[in-house]
Amino acid sequence: MKKILSLLLAVAILLSGSIPAFADETKPPNLPAASESYIVIDAKTGQVLLEKNSHKKEYPASITKIMTTALGVQNGKPDDSITISKEVVSDIWRWGETTHLALEPGEVITLRDAFYGTMVESANDCANAIAQSVSGNLEDFTALMNQQVTALGLTNTHFTNAHGLYDKEHYTTAYDMAMITRWALSVDGFEEYFCAKSYTIPKTNKKKVERNIGTHHHMIVNSKYSYEYAIGGKLGWTSESRHTIVTWAKKGDLSLICVAMNCQNKWDKYTDTARLFDYCFDTYDMVSVTADDMASFDVPVGSLQNPSGMVHISASKDLDLLVEKGTPTESVAFIYDIPSRYRAGETIAPQVDVYSGGVLVASVPMDFTVETYRTETEMEKPEKEPGAFTAVLLAILKWMGIILAAIVVVLFGLRAYFMARRRKRRAARRKSASQGGNRPH
């Protein structure tokens, strides 16, 4: 899809009529961190605020369970019963001793129990139980996970299991994991499990005592590493992935997601996350741009040379974005990525690049409407009159056709005349010959 920035230079200045001088695009600052890769995004828009190696492939470990639980919440009901299969239990023992709830084949739990067991205790058998409940078996659920990855437009993630235990083909990135978490938070009901600090699994047909579980995420409970604004999250660890962490925090109007991956030390992941959150909360403010303040575009339908009509592309929702505190409104500008033409029924994805002080601070999709119409000229366009040369040519061809038809008629007439005369001569000769043959000798 071609851009028409060169044609329109579609620059719209927020609350200002002047065009700022654009500087070279720069990345957000990389803050010191022990984690090999990290990212902080705005949970509402997906705007990237901070990042380091955020597109580098890493092993996620148990933060995988965010995808698992979100799919479970989306496709099941909390009160649904699960009879634990042998596959659910035996699968996790391939990795040796791991975190689990000692579920047994034939044990009956609810899907709600599996959600809490997966997110709070990080129990691998509970993650497999969700997979069994949703898809019937582990393999089909893994396919569902990867289908969701594709639906989110993520290209650096591939899952081979529901729990995150090490597999060389099971990987993601800090960026992809942040976007998966953002999607998961949009699934109605997921937040309950993502933000849970403790849960009690009731007695079952196989376990005669309750099982009390509590989160291991120190930023959302009272601890040395608790963080005032953290409200939910998930941890992960294997010897291959090292420590991974996803945390959701809110302060005022700001809702942020932080992902840190491949951290050597158990506690550094918390200090990294707190430092990244502090920077973003101290640096950014939310600005809302109304749909009316955003530019709209008229784009031809079909080819540029021979359009069959026009469509009107305009913003349908207000745009919220984060800019540095104290940023003058006249230094905020948009550049729109709009297709140069439109084909009826096609899917388009207009983007808005947001510049603050000449620096690219966000590239976000634009919620838009497409209104199809024909121009007044097209609706009232008369039939095209032929040119002088064309008119003369048509007249000549017309008379040539008439003459040709006349010649054909004359030729057919002459042919009929001569054929008739020939028949008469033959008849006369036959008659003469007949009379001569009857004379006496």
Side-chain angles (χ1 to χ4, degrees):
M1 209 176 279
K2 295 180 180 179
K3 297 182 179 180
I4 55 171
L5 298 182
S6 58
L7 300 176
L8 300 175
L9 192 64
V11 179
I13 310 305
L14 171 62
L15 305 178
S16 171
S18 61
I19 300 177
F22 290 156
D24 293 336
E25 296 180 4
T26 61
K27 295 182 179 180
N30 288 338
L31 297 187
S35 301
E36 179 67 23
S37 61
Y38 66 70
I39 194 169
V40 181
I41 68 167
D42 174 24
K44 186 173 184 179
T45 66
Q47 179 182 345
V48 176
L49 306 180
L50 288 174
E51 68 88 27
K52 183 183 80 171
N53 300 328
S54 66
H55 295 285
K56 180 185 176 185
K57 291 179 181 178
E58 306 276 10
Y59 298 122
S62 283
I63 59 175
T64 297
K65 296 181 173 87
I66 293 173
M67 170 67 86
T68 300
T69 303
L71 287 173
V73 173
Q74 186 179 63
N75 292 282
K77 297 178 180 179
D79 290 327
D80 289 347
S81 292
I82 310 171
T83 301
I84 302 301
S85 69
K86 183 178 179 180
E87 181 188 27
V88 163
V89 176
S90 61
D91 172 73
I92 64 169
W93 294 113
R94 294 190 291 124
W95 285 271
E97 181 64 29
T98 67
T99 304
H100 60 86
L101 282 182
L103 297 177
E104 301 179 33
E107 186 171 1
V108 179
I109 63 172
T110 65
L111 193 51
R112 179 184 292 104
D113 297 334
F115 291 155
Y116 279 112
T118 301
M119 294 305 294
V120 176
E121 181 63 20
S122 198
N124 296 311
D125 47 3
C126 285
N128 278 353
I130 294 173
Q132 176 194 319
S133 177
V134 171
S135 299
N137 61 73
L138 306 185
E139 183 178 356
D140 287 348
F141 185 78
T142 300
L144 181 63
M145 296 171 75
N146 290 316
Q147 288 172 18
Q148 184 60 45
V149 168
T150 301
L152 293 174
L154 306 176
T155 58
N156 291 314
T157 295
H158 182 261
F159 294 124
T160 61
N161 58 65
H163 38 67
L165 292 173
Y166 171 72
D167 184 301
K168 66 179 181 178
E169 296 301 323
H170 187 99
Y171 54 81
T172 188
T173 67
Y175 175 86
D176 285 9
M177 203 64 230
M179 295 304 167
I180 288 171
T181 305
R182 179 173 175 251
W183 162 76
L185 288 170
S186 74
V187 176
D188 188 31
F190 172 80
E191 182 179 329
E192 174 185 344
Y193 310 103
F194 190 58
C195 300
K197 298 176 182 179
S198 62
Y199 182 69
T200 298
I201 297 178
K203 299 175 183 179
T204 70
N205 60 322
K206 295 282 187 176
K207 299 291 192 302
K208 302 309 178 184
V209 295
E210 297 177 339
R211 282 167 280 190
N212 297 312
I213 56 178
T215 184
H216 303 281
H217 197 309
H218 285 251
M219 296 184 76
I220 63 175
V221 294
N222 186 19
S223 76
K224 177 182 177 181
Y225 297 95
S226 61
Y227 188 75
E228 179 181 1
Y229 307 110
I231 56 176
K234 185 73 190 74
L235 306 179
W237 182 86
T238 67
S239 58
E240 295 83 6
S241 69
R242 301 197 289 184
H243 294 278
T244 62
I245 181 172
V246 177
T247 313
W248 180 31
K250 284 185 176 182
K251 181 181 180 182
D253 293 334
L254 273 62
S255 175
L256 307 180
I257 296 168
C258 179
V259 179
M261 303 186 71
N262 197 347
C263 185
Q264 181 70 44
N265 184 276
K266 176 179 181 179
W267 307 112
D268 285 346
K269 63 179 181 283
Y270 297 125
T271 55
D272 283 354
T273 301
R275 182 183 300 114
L276 297 172
F277 274 145
D278 283 343
Y279 176 87
C280 292
F281 284 132
D282 291 342
T283 303
Y284 292 99
D285 267 339
M286 179 70 71
V287 173
S288 184
V289 185
T290 67
D292 292 339
D293 285 332
M294 300 178 69
S296 59
F297 304 88
D298 293 311
V299 177
V301 177
S303 68
L304 296 174
Q305 295 78 17
N306 187 28
S308 59
M310 300 289 287
V311 294
H312 185 71
I313 300 176
S314 58
S316 59
K317 292 182 181 179
D318 296 348
L319 176 64
D320 292 327
L321 58 111
L322 299 182
V323 297
E324 290 190 19
K325 294 179 179 179
T327 299
T329 55
E330 63 268 17
S331 71
V332 180
F334 300 143
I335 293 184
Y336 298 83
D337 179 4
I338 306 293
S340 58
R341 59 190 177 90
Y342 178 81
R343 292 177 181 173
E346 76 171 329
T347 300
I348 61 175
Q351 288 281 125
V352 181
D353 289 342
V354 183
Y355 286 80
S356 176
V359 176
L360 179 65
V361 296
S363 294
V364 295
M366 181 175 79
D367 291 307
F368 65 96
T369 56
V370 175
E371 179 184 357
T372 304
Y373 67 93
R374 295 180 65 84
T375 64
E376 185 176 328
T377 303
E378 289 170 329
M379 291 187 292
E380 299 178 358
K381 187 184 296 182
E383 291 189 12
K384 190 175 182 180
E385 296 292 338
F389 174 78
T390 305
V392 171
L393 182 61
L394 289 175
I396 292 173
L397 291 174
K398 176 182 177 182
W399 282 109
M400 285 181 64
I402 293 173
I403 294 170
L404 221 82
I407 292 172
V408 170
V409 171
V410 170
L411 290 174
F412 270 104
L414 289 173
R415 181 174 180 273
Y417 170 75
F418 286 115
M419 288 181 68
R421 288 195 61 181
R422 191 180 301 158
R423 284 195 297 271
K424 285 182 180 180
R425 286 197 296 268
R426 287 176 180 173
R429 284 197 295 269
R430 285 197 297 269
K431 183 177 180 183
S432 176
S434 174
Q435 290 175 351
N438 292 330
R439 292 177 183 179
H441 292 280

